[in-house]
Amino acid sequence: MKSDNGLSPAVVVAEAARIAIDAGLPVVALESTIISHGLPKPRNLQVALELEDLVRSGSACPATVAVLDGVARIGLTEAELVRVASEEGFRKLGLRDLPAAMASGASGATTVSATAYLAGLAGIRVFATGGLGGVHRDWMASWDESADLEVLSRCSITIVCAGIKSILDVPASLQRLETLSVTVVGYRTEMFPGFYITSSGEALDWSVDTPDAVASIMRKQDELGISSALVVANPVSLSEQLDPSLHDEVLDEALAAAERGGVRGQALTPFLLDFMRKGTSEGSLEANLAAVRANTALAAKIANSWATTPISRARVPR
Ligand code: PSU
Ligand code: MN
């Protein structure tokens, strides 16, 4: 059964987002796992609301994505954002989890993989997050590679991020993105960002300086019929990065603690992020937030460059 816009009734696009998408206005998708599993309560709710406001003040329509009571929602009300930020037992849903969660009426936050897929279904082309998932540092033994990477190889989405989370094996993750034919461009940088830190030390092949330049690449993807993601890697500023030596020191402790505790699978990334936050007296949290804010603001600019109806000719619906 399909509704008017061709989507299943279990996939609901909020009215403001639907109007904006249909009118070709700028829209930015936001993921919810960073809210439910990546940030501490109650700060996470403030951040969820702040990110949506940042998109609006960048003249674009925000659409945070989550699954609530078995319904995939693209665009949440404030009450729904409160559920994502505070409900106990809220699950973490990658793309493969969506059918099971929806069939059982479960609620959960969507990761980059699930968000990219659902945003694409709804016709949203631009998405902002903090740091992508990637290959974990013990990948040769654990085979733990985030589904984010493979899903980005088959979703037509432009994702603005501060690189790959530095708790991961960044060179291996970049190698996987190359194998998967995902285009990666630095935003005003020749070096791939390091999530909490400005540079990962890995060089990039391509760099752009303006939102219009990103939109030009998106148009070329379409002209070529390429339906994989475009990763726009936007580094956290030097003044807002986590001290790199503190980063390396605490990360070693975090990885050792995860190993000792046998933390694996979906729990590993949230465990490492939380360990980093505590071990850096919230320094990693501030760097993470600086990155997400900057990525969200840049995503709004890219959505404006991409939109067929510039915002000056129509107001963003609320
Ligand atoms: N960016 C952040 N914090 C996060 C995430 C991204 O700044 O918590 C989330 C995203 O939802 C991403 C997920 O998809 O972490 C990756 O989890 P895993 O490594 O288990 O695939
Ligand atoms: Mn994993």
Side-chain angles (χ1 to χ4, degrees):
M1 195 181 20
K2 300 239 166 155
S3 56
D4 290 352
N5 56 8
L7 295 176
S8 142
V11 179
V12 173
V13 184
E15 195 186 1
R18 190 178 42 72
I19 292 170
I21 294 163
D22 290 348
L25 294 169
V27 183
V28 174
L30 298 166
E31 53 128 335
S32 46
T33 297
I34 181 171
I35 304 303
S36 63
H37 291 71
L39 298 170
K41 294 173 186 169
R43 184 93 185 260
N44 60 346
L45 176 60
Q46 267 165 270
V47 174
L49 296 169
E50 186 194 337
L51 296 181
E52 290 218 336
D53 280 341
L54 262 176
V55 174
R56 289 191 192 96
S57 54
S59 301
C61 179
T64 305
V65 176
V67 175
L68 295 170
D69 307 315
V71 177
R73 296 198 172 270
I74 294 127
L76 302 181
T77 62
E78 195 166 323
E80 288 166 345
L81 284 171
V82 170
R83 286 190 61 186
V84 172
S86 51
E87 212 164 275
E88 290 304 320
F90 216 71
R91 299 188 59 144
K92 173 175 167 182
L93 308 174
L95 178 55
R96 73 165 188 163
D97 302 306
L98 291 179
M102 291 168 70
S104 61
S107 298
T110 50
T111 66
V112 166
S113 69
T115 308
Y117 186 86
L118 289 170
L121 271 189
I124 301 175
R125 187 65 181 263
V126 182
F127 170 16
T129 184
L132 295 184
V135 179
H136 278 272
R137 290 183 183 228
D138 67 342
W139 59 275
M140 272 183 280
S142 68
W143 287 69
D144 190 344
E145 172 184 329
S146 175
D148 290 359
L149 300 185
E150 190 276 334
V151 173
L152 289 180
S153 75
R154 55 191 165 95
C155 284
S156 197
I157 193 104
T158 295
I159 179 155
V160 186
C161 60
I164 286 162
K165 283 189 274 285
S166 52
I167 56 173
L168 304 167
D169 185 333
V170 174
S173 303
L174 276 173
Q175 188 56 56
R176 288 289 295 143
L177 285 171
E178 181 179 348
T179 304
L180 292 163
S181 291
V182 176
T183 304
V184 179
V185 299
Y187 191 77
R188 299 185 180 168
T189 180
E190 310 277 327
M191 300 301 282
F192 192 62
F195 185 52
Y196 293 135
I197 50 182
T198 306
S199 172
S200 67
E202 296 296 310
L204 281 168
D205 295 321
W206 300 99
S207 169
V208 293
D209 292 326
T210 62
D212 282 350
V214 176
S216 301
I217 297 174
M218 293 161 70
R219 277 190 282 276
K220 292 300 166 198
Q221 287 184 310
D222 288 0
E223 285 169 29
L224 290 166
I226 288 175
S227 55
S228 51
L230 170 59
V231 172
V232 178
N234 184 34
V236 67
S237 68
L238 279 171
S239 61
E240 291 174 306
Q241 75 167 343
L242 181 63
D243 171 26
S245 54
L246 178 64
H247 171 273
D248 293 354
E249 195 184 303
V250 180
L251 181 53
D252 282 345
E253 292 167 21
L255 294 167
E259 167 126 30
R260 270 196 313 276
V263 185
R264 293 188 300 122
Q266 278 196 331
L268 183 55
T269 296
F271 174 88
L272 293 172
L273 295 181
D274 199 51
F275 193 103
M276 290 295 291
R277 178 176 68 80
K278 291 174 181 146
T280 60
S281 326
E282 312 269 304
S284 72
L285 174 62
E286 294 310 322
N288 192 347
L289 292 179
V292 188
R293 288 189 190 107
N295 296 341
T296 303
L298 177 57
K301 288 184 186 157
I302 293 169
N304 273 273
S305 288
W306 172 251
T308 52
T309 310
I311 209 64
S312 50
R313 280 194 269 133
R315 288 193 51 237
V316 177
R318 274 204 75 138

